[in-house]
Amino acid sequence: MILMNKSIKNKLLISYLAITIITIFLIITALNGFVYIKNTNATIDSATKLSKIMGTNLAASLSFDDKNSAKSILKSLQVDSTIEAAFVYGQNDKIFICHLNNLSQDEAIKKLNLLQSGTVYNDMDSIIVSSKISLDNVTIGKLILIYNTEDIKNTLIQMIQMLLIISVLVLLIMFKIATILQKRLTAPIYTLVNTMENIIENNNYTKRIDEKSDDEFQTVFNGFNKMLNKIQKNKSELETLANLDMLTGLYNRRYFLELVNQFLEMTKRENKISTILMLDIDKFKNINDTHGHNVGDQVLKGFAKVFLENNRKSDVFARFGGEEFIVFLPNLNGDDAFLVAEKIRRSIETYKEIQNINFTVSIGLCEFHNDIEDTINKADIALYKAKENGRNRVECYFAINTDNK
């Protein structure tokens, strides 16, 4: 499962364990090699010293051709089970006498052939040492000792077993250490990842990383928080551009409908009446044609200013298009909404901040009935009724229906 999971936690853990295993393997190999070489050299040194001593003892037997004496001397080698065979050669380079210990003569001869030239030969199975037999500084023969390496092998096996046990313990300890280290190393990364996922999932760019770190991750956290500050600022500016009419500072049509629908969704179980107002500046085209578009823009800004000075905090006011505006009056019935509309109309009528320009507004209203688009259409009908009846007035959709009846 750990190998299949490609998270950074498991990658680090696997890396630590791989390094530990490789290190343990190299240590075991190096120690085994060291012990093998040490024991082999010790055996060779011991064999060399023994062969010299035995050579001294055998010199007289060899010079007098006394095989019984030589055999008696070689028999003393039986006490050392690692010595498989001993061969004494005379001056004619022929075997004078030999001693075999748990080894056949044919096997011993095969091992002798491994020596070829030189005085020492060793491999994983045998150590062979040759030394001269001298009498009065004259070489009269040679002694060859063949050792088996079973003791060296057994020592290596015991050491390997011990090292394997130690290695398992070390591996368990390193696994625990590696787990702690990977948690410490990856915790800041996962803090960063979890924060990003939270921001993406909830579209909440106010989230920040508050954790402190005493290493380079603190620089990463600080940079991440600065990036979020910039994103949040840009997001706020984009939302402003997307939701507001840049000329008047009022909400635009799209955002108005979004806010109203949100309000209606939250209050759909309440039996409270709300009202829509449609407003249109009278003869706005004449203002543009007579005084220019700059003055027309001032009129639009002045109109928005008057409303913002007279509205409730809960009211939603937006530029619907051109010189047409819309207002949502939550939890306000038609009668009360009419009073609000009249207040707006009179405030516009008496507005004098634009030099030499007087303008008025016609307003149509309709109480909200289930569908926002339908209510806007009915308020628009009331607005055009106000235009038909002389402008600068407020008309109610329900009053129009009553008159028609």
Side-chain angles (χ1 to χ4, degrees), residues 11-118:
K11 287 180 180 178
L12 284 173
L13 191 58
I14 291 169
S15 298
Y16 292 144
L17 294 179
I19 291 171
T20 301
I21 292 170
I22 291 171
T23 302
I24 291 173
F25 174 77
L26 292 175
I27 290 173
I28 290 176
T29 303
L31 285 175
N32 284 336
F34 173 77
V35 170
Y36 174 76
I37 292 172
K38 181 180 178 182
N39 289 347
T40 300
N41 288 338
T43 300
I44 291 172
D45 289 342
S46 174
T48 301
K49 291 177 182 178
L50 178 62
S51 64
K52 287 181 179 179
I53 294 171
M54 294 291 293
T56 301
N57 294 334
L58 288 168
S61 300
L62 188 61
S63 63
F64 291 105
D65 198 25
D66 187 354
K67 291 186 177 182
N68 289 330
S69 175
K71 187 175 182 180
S72 177
I73 293 171
L74 292 179
K75 195 173 182 180
S76 64
L77 297 175
Q78 290 179 344
V79 297
D80 190 346
S81 61
T82 61
I83 300 175
E84 294 182 317
F87 288 85
V88 178
Y89 285 81
Q91 285 182 318
N92 55 5
D93 209 25
K94 291 184 178 180
I95 297 175
F96 174 69
I97 194 170
C98 69
H99 168 76
L100 302 175
N101 187 16
N102 297 325
L103 190 70
S104 67
Q105 187 166 345
D106 290 339
E107 290 175 330
I109 296 297
K110 286 181 180 178
K111 290 191 175 185
L112 281 176
N113 293 331
L114 296 174
L115 183 62
Q116 294 181 355
S117 61

Side-chain angles (χ1 to χ4, degrees), residues 142-187:
K142 63 181 179 181
L143 171 65
I144 298 177
L145 299 177
I146 301 174
Y147 285 74
N148 66 49
T149 58
E150 291 301 317
D151 285 352
I152 296 175
K153 289 179 181 179
N154 291 334
T155 301
L156 284 176
I157 290 171
Q158 291 173 0
M159 185 173 180
I160 289 171
Q161 290 173 341
M162 180 184 68
L163 287 174
L164 286 175
I165 294 171
I166 295 172
S167 297
V168 171
L169 294 175
V170 170
L171 194 60
L172 291 174
I173 294 170
M174 288 303 296
F175 180 81
K176 183 65 177 178
I177 294 172
T179 302
I180 295 171
L181 285 175
Q182 63 92 359
K183 284 182 179 178
R184 291 195 62 183
L185 286 172
T186 59

Side-chain angles (χ1 to χ4, degrees), residues 30 36 50 131 148 186 205 230 235 371 402:
Y36 174 76
L50 178 62
S131 62
N148 66 49
T186 59
Y205 289 90
K230 190 169 183 180
K235 184 174 181 289
D371 184 79
T402 302

Side-chain angles (χ1 to χ4, degrees), residues 319-342:
R319 186 178 179 189
F320 210 59
E323 68 274 18
E324 197 170 27
F325 295 81
I326 190 169
V327 182
F328 177 67
L329 303 175
N331 303 325
L332 209 63
N333 62 31
D335 293 334
D336 292 333
F338 181 84
L339 297 177
V340 173
E342 271 295 324

Side-chain angles (χ1 to χ4, degrees), residues 254-276:
R254 181 197 60 79
Y255 194 55
F256 170 85
L257 294 173
E258 182 179 325
L259 291 177
V260 172
N261 282 320
Q262 287 176 4
F263 175 83
L264 295 174
E265 181 66 26
M266 290 187 294
T267 59
K268 62 183 178 181
R269 295 183 181 179
E270 301 176 10
N271 294 320
K272 292 183 179 180
I273 297 175
S274 298
T275 304
I276 291 286

